Amino acid sequence: MENIENIKNPNNELFLAASQAKEKYYGKKVFFRGLIEFSNYCTNDCYYCGIRRSNKEVHRYRLNQEEILSCCAKGFELGFRTFVLQSGEDPYFTDQIMTKIIDDIRNSFPDCAITLSLGEKSYASYQNFFAAGADRYLLRHESANEEHYQKLHPPTMSLKNRKECLYNLKEIGFQVGAGLMVGSPFQTPEHLADDLMFLKELDPHMVGIGPFIPYKDTVFAGEKGGTVEATLLMIALTRILLPKSLIPATTALGTIDPRGREKGLHAGANVVMPNLSPVNVRNDYALYDNKICTGEEAAECRQCIEKRISNAGFIPDFSRGDYYLVLQ
Ligand code: SAM
Ligand code: FES
């Protein structure tokens, strides 16, 4: 099989087919999500990740409940109606603390969607979060190939558990997001085919697809990063396989190419996730090198991305932006 990195110019027909598939359900809308990176403490040690436990160079931070709520309030003022709460796997945020935060956001912003991205938890914890008012959960599967998954993670982690979490989340009633990094170390085209087949089987509501970008203080510091071309190809194929899915044009894609997010939208993506985290902690949530948008205030980020979206011929949409079926 041709090496994925050799596909320099994924043909326009593919992008056209992906765009048509997307537009059938969502038109030219691009949905906004406000991202709040509320803690970079993590008990996990994923080999690729800048905030992994073994990285002693990271300045660790966690926002308190008041700070998280004030990020939401700022986001609400700016028009956001989805908040994405993301963190490392931080034991400080027990179910009790987390459900209190979710409950407060739910009561303060009843019309907003609450998305969580907190990693692997028990069925009971996921149930607690859902009962407290969370609507969506992002948990990338990272690789659907057993052997490859194991090369990216320490032996304490397993693909089996990750998949189980995703199916549990779905069963509980969350809109679920899976996904992967394109070009992660040891990844082959066959692995990407496994990813596509797994995505088809899981049938998630959202799929996060971004390039792998090496980070200096990780096991994979010296590895090559994923390419724009391969990432766009995976976005387009995923869109065609799962036409109703919500697919972000990721910050990682915007990091390896100044027009990366626009290119992602033309390849079938339909979501952007500007950062609402306080500027003073942005640099500490460094998953990979040269991450963009770490210096701008939330309002600047919103404006910048909104303008880029309009200029690229799409329609910025600040509604909750639920999965197509949920709207019926
Ligand atoms: N702890 C939660 C989890 O593991 O799902 C959420 C935070 S985790 C940092 C979010 C995502 O960042 C991961 O799913 C991974 O795909 C992505 N990520 C981590 N390191 C990366 C890197 N070096 N390049 C690109 N993406 C990366
Ligand atoms: Fe925990 Fe990346 S290793 S968030």
Side-chain angles (χ1 to χ4, degrees):
M1 193 192 280
E2 188 176 5
N3 188 311
I4 194 87
E5 300 301 334
N6 290 337
I7 304 172
K8 286 289 173 225
N9 188 12
N11 62 62
N12 289 335
E13 271 176 43
L14 180 70
F15 292 161
L16 202 64
S19 295
Q20 280 168 353
K22 170 180 72 175
E23 285 174 22
K24 181 166 173 210
Y25 297 104
Y26 298 107
K28 292 215 171 279
K29 287 179 184 171
V30 175
F31 300 107
F32 275 64
R33 322 293 198 203
L35 177 64
I36 302 164
E37 298 159 334
F38 67 91
S39 164
N40 69 354
Y41 282 88
C42 192
T43 52
N44 267 349
D45 220 9
C46 305
Y47 298 151
Y48 45 81
C49 184
I51 60 171
R52 63 197 297 263
R53 185 185 62 210
S54 298
N55 184 3
K56 304 291 181 228
E57 302 302 316
V58 189
H59 170 253
R60 303 283 170 177
Y61 74 90
R62 50 174 77 94
L63 303 184
N64 62 33
Q65 174 160 343
E66 215 172 280
E67 290 167 319
I68 295 172
L69 261 290
S70 102
C71 291
C72 294
K74 188 190 284 170
F76 189 85
E77 238 174 75
L78 290 169
F80 290 91
R81 294 297 177 267
T82 290
F83 304 121
V84 181
L85 269 55
Q86 189 179 84
S87 68
E89 303 204 10
D90 181 355
Y92 168 85
F93 289 94
T94 58
D95 280 12
Q96 204 186 1
I97 296 179
M98 215 50 234
T99 49
K100 173 89 176 65
I101 293 170
I102 297 164
D103 191 55
D104 274 9
I105 299 176
R106 175 56 54 240
N107 291 327
S108 309
F109 309 100
D111 302 334
C112 294
I114 303 172
T115 304
L116 304 176
S117 177
L118 318 175
E120 296 178 12
K121 304 275 177 189
S122 68
Y123 194 94
S125 296
Y126 288 149
Q127 270 183 319
N128 290 338
F129 302 154
F130 191 72
D135 307 277
R136 308 178 190 147
Y137 204 102
L138 305 178
L139 182 70
R140 289 185 176 181
H141 65 280
E142 313 292 3
S143 171
N145 177 282
E146 196 80 51
E147 248 172 67
H148 183 227
Y149 184 93
Q150 229 45 71
K151 286 184 177 166
L152 301 178
H153 302 97
T156 45
M157 294 175 72
S158 76
L159 177 59
K160 184 171 171 285
N161 193 51
R162 184 127 309 213
K163 284 186 174 177
E164 204 169 293
C165 286
L166 285 163
Y167 281 107
N168 287 346
L169 287 161
K170 236 185 146 185
E171 188 175 285
I172 290 166
F174 280 99
Q175 290 176 54
V176 174
L180 65 140
M181 293 174 293
V182 178
S184 59
F186 312 109
Q187 188 180 66
T188 65
E190 286 79 2
H191 296 153
L192 291 171
D194 287 345
D195 288 318
L196 292 171
M197 285 192 292
F198 171 66
L199 287 170
K200 189 67 190 165
E201 177 197 299
L202 175 69
D203 194 18
H205 308 83
M206 303 165 282
V207 188
I209 299 170
F212 160 69
I213 306 176
Y215 186 71
K216 55 181 164 50
D217 298 316
T218 63
V219 178
F220 294 148
E223 298 290 334
K224 256 177 57 184
T227 64
V228 179
E229 291 80 10
T231 307
L232 297 178
L233 179 66
M234 281 300 285
I235 290 176
L237 292 173
T238 303
R239 167 61 64 198
I240 290 165
L241 273 180
L242 301 172
K244 292 181 191 165
S245 57
L246 292 150
I247 303 178
T250 60
T251 305
L253 190 52
T255 296
I256 61 165
D257 181 331
R259 311 268 310 155
R261 284 172 296 182
E262 287 89 334
K263 290 179 184 174
L265 297 175
H266 285 296
N270 61 345
V271 170
V272 287
M273 294 170 68
N275 207 317
L276 294 178
S277 314
V279 173
N280 66 320
V281 302
R282 295 259 189 103
N283 270 324
D284 296 327
Y285 202 85
L287 309 180
Y288 45 79
D289 284 331
N290 306 317
K291 189 174 168 197
I292 52 166
C293 306
T294 51
E296 288 89 15
E297 287 291 345
E300 287 177 78
C301 272
R302 176 201 186 279
Q303 256 184 354
C304 158
I305 299 183
E306 191 177 5
K307 212 160 126 198
R308 281 166 172 266
I309 288 170
S310 305
N311 288 345
F314 298 98
I315 304 167
D317 188 299
F318 283 86
S319 67
R320 277 173 54 115
D322 282 300
Y323 184 69
Y324 186 76
L325 271 186
V326 182
L327 294 172
Q328 306 306 296

